[in-house]
Amino acid sequence: MKLLFFDAKPYDKQSFDEYLPDHPEIELEYTDTELTPRTASLAMGYEAICAFVNADLGKRTLQVLHHVGVRLILLRCAGFNHVDMEAARACGLCVMRVPGYSPEAVAEHAMALAMAVNRKLHKAYVRVRENNFSVSGLTGRDLCGKVAGIVGTGKIGLSMCRICRGFGMRVLAYDVRESSEAVRIGVEYCSLDVLLSQSDLISLHCPLTEGTHHLIRSETIAQMKPGVIFVNTSRGALVDTEDLIAGIRERRFHGVALDVYEEEGDNVFENREDDILASSVVARLLSFPNVIVTSHQGFLTAEALSAIAQTTLANASAYAEGTVLEENVVK
Ligand code: NAI
């Protein structure tokens, strides 16, 4: 099977090259080009392509891929909200993903962000580097004994619940379906309203769907406890960024930490240090002293990259052999 790997980064090549010898039937080529409707035709002559969360997998791209002979789309990520599945089905394209690679990678990053913004590590780091050893303005809060509110207790959310329990926190959770494992470790399920109004730390771990789009907006921000720490490592559009910015201006948050945000598309994984940003969203978010933004790096651990490479290559081989694992196929 000939496979073209779009938007390849050095860490992708390292992990995929390690496991490629286990799949002699796969002929893999990398391109650092991003996948867009204009670049999709590069896949001519390839049966499969591999793409990440930031790829444009809208209708036009899928139609071009289909037209040049691609049959299989291998997502090297868990989320698939960026794929126009109606168009994929219409084109007869099979879309496969990596449903779970290292939930701990994302959950640990969520807690790292929460702690960084809580204890103002982003400011402390810069101060000490400048020989400024003053700690005024760096006061944080103990998490032990406080309430964590976890929205979505799937693989990543459950891992975050364990971490919060380990910190000595009471954990409230909201999900459309309860996890017995979460209940077993002492998580208390409640309504979203109760979670928002009682939590000192709120972390989002649900997928982006029509029902969760702008779950966090002015109405839900108004329900939050004053001085809450808010973390989003899930998907940017779960949060209405303009409403979030208004809430930050109204001093509702002790800290806001985002690994994902609306309009991240052009920035994620790119070095834009010489650019003048066209949109003011990131610039405005970064202008606040109690906001930390990372660039969709929750997944980025050695363990997660290895698991992503192994599952993606196994998905390709299984497709070639007609033995796909149904749970890895996006329906
Ligand atoms: P999962 O499918 O195991 O869990 C999602 C949970 O959300 C499920 O328990 C589901 O019932 C729940 N849910 C669905 N609709 C809901 C709603 N309306 N309200 C509350 N809960 C709802 O998914 P997993 O692996 O835990 O991933 C969660 C999300 O994390 C992904 O959808 C993705 O957006 C994000 N993610 C972010 C990464 C990063 O690098 N920052 C990497 C991987 C995933």
Side-chain angles (χ1 to χ4, degrees):
M1 170 188 282
K2 287 189 76 179
L3 166 60
L4 184 60
F5 193 112
F6 278 91
D7 201 12
K9 305 287 187 224
Y11 51 81
D12 290 320
K13 291 182 188 169
Q14 197 180 348
S15 55
F16 275 77
D17 282 348
E18 187 181 341
Y19 295 101
L20 197 56
D22 300 340
H23 300 268
E25 69 286 4
I26 300 174
E27 230 179 282
L28 174 59
E29 270 185 61
Y30 298 105
T31 171
D32 54 13
T33 306
E34 284 173 39
L35 179 58
T36 68
R38 289 169 68 93
T39 62
S41 59
L42 289 172
M44 184 173 293
Y46 293 84
E47 191 180 351
I49 63 111
C50 183
F52 197 51
V53 277
N54 54 330
D56 176 342
L57 282 161
K59 189 172 177 179
R60 279 184 58 219
T61 306
L62 295 171
Q63 285 173 337
V64 176
L65 290 173
H66 169 66
H67 181 71
V68 299
V70 170
R71 297 282 166 266
L72 172 66
I73 294 178
L74 295 161
L75 300 175
R76 52 180 188 278
C77 56
F80 53 89
N81 55 281
H82 58 308
V83 186
D84 183 336
M85 280 310 299
E86 206 178 303
R89 277 189 288 272
C91 295
L93 289 163
C94 176
V95 180
M96 298 186 78
R97 66 183 183 120
V98 185
Y101 37 91
S102 171
E104 288 71 29
V106 185
E108 288 172 15
H109 189 65
M111 187 47 109
L113 284 174
M115 286 304 289
V117 83
N118 175 26
R119 303 301 293 268
K120 306 180 198 300
L121 298 184
H122 54 305
K123 293 169 88 73
Y125 174 78
V126 174
R127 271 194 204 178
V128 173
R129 279 178 71 98
E130 300 294 330
N131 286 346
N132 176 355
F133 302 98
S134 156
V135 293
S136 298
L138 301 184
T139 308
R141 299 191 177 155
D142 288 5
L143 291 188
C144 186
K146 298 285 181 359
V147 180
I150 307 302
V151 181
T153 51
K155 292 177 283 299
I156 298 170
L158 180 59
S159 177
M160 184 64 171
C161 288
R162 285 199 191 96
I163 292 171
C164 292
R165 293 292 289 152
F167 269 68
M169 302 183 83
R170 178 180 170 213
V171 179
L172 299 179
Y174 168 69
D175 197 313
V176 287
R177 92 190 113 99
E178 294 190 5
S179 148
S180 52
E181 176 57 12
V183 173
R184 195 189 67 74
I185 63 168
V187 171
E188 301 162 52
Y189 280 95
C190 62
S191 66
L192 185 61
D193 292 350
V194 169
L195 183 150
L196 293 172
S197 62
Q198 294 197 7
S199 301
D200 301 288
L201 160 65
I202 296 174
S203 191
L204 302 185
H205 300 288
C206 59
L208 175 62
T209 61
E210 269 177 31
T212 59
H213 184 261
H214 286 182
L215 184 75
I216 302 303
R217 54 186 184 278
S218 48
E219 292 89 338
T220 40
I221 291 170
Q223 288 177 272
M224 293 180 190
K225 236 173 147 171
V228 65
I229 296 169
F230 174 71
V231 179
N232 185 11
T233 56
S234 206
R235 282 293 178 269
L238 292 172
V239 180
D240 182 321
T241 314
E242 293 298 340
D243 287 1
L244 181 70
I245 289 172
I248 296 166
R249 288 212 168 105
E250 288 160 13
R251 296 176 168 71
R252 290 180 170 275
F253 300 94
H254 174 66
V256 169
L258 308 172
D259 188 45
V260 290
Y261 51 93
E262 290 182 298
E263 301 179 28
E264 68 182 29
D266 291 343
N267 300 337
V268 162
F269 313 133
E270 302 305 322
N271 179 352
R272 301 189 63 193
E273 63 189 8
D274 292 329
D275 288 6
I276 292 171
L277 299 180
S279 146
S280 65
V281 171
V282 189
R284 276 187 294 157
L285 281 171
L286 292 175
S287 72
F288 300 114
N290 58 342
V291 175
I292 293 184
V293 179
T294 53
S295 187
H296 209 132
Q297 68 171 79
F299 73 99
L300 196 65
T301 66
E303 291 77 5
L305 290 172
S306 289
I308 289 170
Q310 288 178 69
T311 304
T312 305
L313 292 169
N315 280 345
S317 293
Y319 178 86
E321 291 159 9
T323 58
V324 293
L325 205 60
E326 284 305 315
E327 68 185 56
N328 292 5
V329 178
V330 183
K331 298 277 167 29

